Every structure is written in C-alpha cells, then in structure tokens.
Amino acid sequence: MNIAFIGTGVMGRGMASQLLSQGHQVSIYTRTKTKAASLIEKGAEWKETIKACVKDVDAVITMVGYPDDVDDVYRGKQGLFRYAPKGSLLIDMTTSSPTLAKALYKEAAELKFRLLDAPVSGGDIGAKNGTLSIMVGGQAADVQAAMPILECMGEKIIHQGVAGAGQTTKMANQIAIASNMMGVVEALRFAEASGLDTSNVLKSIETGAAGSWSLSNLGPRMLKGDTAPGFYVEHFLKDLRIALEEAKKLDLPTPGLEQATSLYEGMLENGMGQLGTQALYAYYQNLS
Amino acid sequence: MNIAFIGTGVMGRGMASQLLSQGHQVSIYTRTKTKAASLIEKGAEWKETIKACVKDVDAVITMVGYPDDVDDVYRGKQGLFRYAPKGSLLIDMTTSSPTLAKALYKEAAELKFRLLDAPVSGGDIGAKNGTLSIMVGGQAADVQAAMPILECMGEKIIHQGVAGAGQTTKMANQIAIASNMMGVVEALRFAEASGLDTSNVLKSIETGAAGSWSLSNLGPRMLKGDTAPGFYVEHFLKDLRIALEEAKKLDLPTPGLEQATSLYEGMLENGMGQLGTQALYAYYQNLS
C-alpha cells in the first residue's frame, strides 16, 4: 500500500521501518528532517509538507507528541482534514486524549475519512521489532481494512470498541503503571535503606505476588542509577494528566493516580522531564 | 527430623503437610484443634501445649497471626524460650515485624537457640504445593542447617542477611504490592466506567509495561465481583502497618504506601477485613 507516516521520533522510526521492510511504499513527514535519515536510507520518501506527503496514499499514520500536535496535524491549515485523500484510512497511533479522539472521529466521518485511534505499548524495542500491542478504537470495517498495516507493526492488535476506545485502553494501561511505579520505588528504597543486598531482594520478590514488568525491567535500572530514557518522564506525565482529566469526567476517584501524577509533576519541576520514568527512584531522595 | 509446627492456619496446614509427606516427624500445636484435623490424619501428632509439642524436637516452625502472637509464642510463659530444647532451630515463618525479629534473635542467641526469620510468599497454593518463596534472615550456619526443612516447603529460598532481613524483604514485597493494587483497581475501574469490554482491556494491557501478578491474577476476580479471600484484607493491613512503621524508623517517604494503607484501613472500618485483598475494587465504590 501507499502509506504516509507523520512523526518519525523514536517510536515512529521503528514503526515506519517495519512498514518499509514489509514492502509498503512509505512517504514521511516530520518536523526534524534529521530524524528521518535512517528511513530515507531504507527507501522512504521525505516530503516537505503534509499535503505532499499524503498525495494519493491509501492510509496515513500519525505518531506525534502531544494532543495539541494531533489536533494540529488533523485540523490545522496544513492538516490532514484538508489534504488527505477522501476515503483514506487515518490512523492516529499517538497516545492522546480519548475525548479528542472521539471529536476527531466525528469530524473525520463527516469529511468521509475513516479514522482510527490506535495507540501502542511496547516501547522503542517493540516498535523496532514490530511486536507492539496496539489498542484500537473505531468502526469494525475500518479496523479490518487497517489490519494489513497494523500487523506490520504489532503482535497483539485488539479492537477495543468505538472511536476513543483505543485511547481509553491506553489510559487504563498508564493508570496501572503509575501507581505501580511508586510501589516498585518504595519497595526497593526500603530494601536499600535497610542495608539489604537489593539484587537478592529483587530475586526473592519479582516472581511472586509483587512481580511486575516494572519491577523486573526498571528495578535493576533504578538500583544501578541508570536514568536514561526508555520512556521520557515528560511523555508519561502527559499521559497521566490526560488520564486524570478523563477520570474526573467519569467522576472516578483515583487516589493512586493523583499521588503518582503529583510525583511526576515534581520531577518535571526539578528538571527531570527528559529522564526515563525509572528516575522516580532518584527523585524520591528529594521527598521528606 | 523431629519438627514441631506451631500454627496450622491455611498457610501452616499446607506447609506442615509438605513436611509430613517428605518423611519428617511432625508434632503440631494450634489454638483451634479442628484446623489440625487433616494433618492429624496424615500422621501429625497433636499436642495440648507448646511444652509438649516441642519436647525433644530438632526444630520448631512458627506460623501464627500477628506480631503479638509471635511475641507470645516465643516469650510467653508457655512459650518457646522456656520450653524449646537448647540448641534447637527456631524458624519463624509468620510475616511479622523486622524489629521484633531482631529483638527475638538477640534473646534467642543468649538462650542458645538458633533463630531464623523466614517469612514466605506464594499464598495458600504455594504452601500446599511446596513452591513458596522463602526470605531468610539469620546466621548463615543456621540457614544451612535449616535448608533440608525449608526445601520441603519452598522453591526459592534466599538468605537475605542477618536477623530481621527475611522480614525486611517480605516488607519490601508487601510495599510493592500495596501501591500496585491501587493501580490495578483504578485502571480496571476506569476501563469499566468508560464502557469498555474489561476482559479485552486486560488482554491488551497485561503482557506489556502495565503487566503484573496482581493484574493477571486478581484483575479477573475483581471484574467478576469475586471477593473470596486468597489473602485476607486484615492480614495485608497488618503487614502494611508494620511496613509503614519500619519506613518511618528509616525516615523514608512512602506516599504510595501511605495512600494504599489508608484505603485498606477504610476497608477494615467498613467490615471488609475478612474479604480478599482484591475486594479493594468494590471498596472504591465508597470513595468520592
């Protein structure tokens, strides 16, 4: 298929690369051309504008930063609602607001686009290897039509419901992670402050009822003082803010999410936004 | 070996049963004789007093309820420090206070007992199948001597350090679980309130970065409204109170643990102490 890919950050690069290696024609548009170099080498065509990028494509994938960026890419003067071919599939894979996803879907449908929200989990490794989990919201027929594309990028692709359901599922994912990060940090700090051999403690606790992806994957990085970003604090915080806002709309109490969000807000205020989320371990030193 | 087993609740029963089936002589003492019936059938000898139970044994295992019970079983007028054979191994497998474990160890050493703190994780299933994770604190030589006994009950047995280190490791385990329970509950409630198919949401999120033992094992019970105890709220709360107290002694900030503990305190106040910890899902209905 002819596919336009908008946004080639660390996630987008891996995903677009999968599309290329599975034989799709991919044109790309991104704000920083240097970020597209490796894709251009692999055969992607770089375009100067969204308008040029989406000319005659069958589908457009967007993987940008914040909900405002999504809004701009779809509704902006240079955006997809103006320039994408009528009838094309528009697939927003950015983690963004469920409310925005629903609103965009409605407008897209009126304009005869087939819009899906399809955020992912699995990180840069999952993107690179085409093993992402993809959570999809939208019309069943459109999900079916998008499957050959989504299957290039993900292993577990689940249609979660109508427009917005993909984003809502991703928010549930982030809500589960948020509180667990506090648990992992507090457990390991407790072990360390007690003078135990923390790697032995990890061995005792990671396979039982305390076990989690974060404990096994981020715990060792915390203990080594490795704060390099797998997933940026500032991006996680974006997600948590959206989740809190949506929870409020639903009138749901979320004391754990609130506590975790306020810690990550503190990290941002302390200049830690571009560290990995596991730097929460270091940030706890600042608390009293 | 001749082993005395004190405390045959749901965990103790499974553990003592493993000792019996692996050829040890087991005498048992427990407050409620009916709870010992299945063990007596398997060949355990029931005794009326601790004094009678520990006569001529090589080792004593204690698996009781609260730190006060541990205190009483060891230091009480009818207790082990008075009646256990000098030189015997005393192994407290109750989840209890690290501070108490250290104090008991000191007294035990003066009285020529070889005391270990060796709490477990893995639940009633792990106890029944002999697959517990056992976190051990005490002298290395005593841990070695206890290994043939511990290996009957557990698969992962790690010597975590000096007296108290087993309990400290178990506290780290409970701290990790505490905050994660909030995350799991809030994520699933968010999905449910948003009108999604929660079992599909679980499928999307449980194998990625949000994945955890609690999400995969307790999540489905939460969604079914199954509040039957695997692990009692009141026992978990006991652990969380100990953990909070120890964290305060270490001057460690634990906002997640504090939040989770206050929720479980609320459950106890609302008569939910004898439900399983996953009933937190139902309790969230009471919050606003």
Side-chain angles (χ1 to χ4, degrees), chain A residues 38-97:
Chain A
S38 66
L39 291 173
I40 295 169
E41 258 173 50
K42 283 182 191 147
E45 276 192 67
W46 194 76
K47 303 287 184 177
E48 291 279 345
T49 61
I50 287 180
K51 180 180 175 184
C53 188
V54 301
K55 190 164 187 290
D56 297 331
V57 298
D58 306 297
V60 182
I61 294 172
T62 51
M63 189 67 180
V64 295
Y66 293 81
D68 281 353
D69 301 317
V70 173
D71 195 295
D72 191 50
V73 164
Y74 282 84
R75 290 169 167 161
K77 278 193 185 156
Q78 307 300 325
L80 295 173
F81 285 167
R82 184 162 300 195
Y83 292 115
K86 295 292 160 192
S88 58
L89 279 165
L90 308 180
I91 311 173
D92 183 30
M93 303 186 79
T94 317
T95 294
S96 172
S97 143

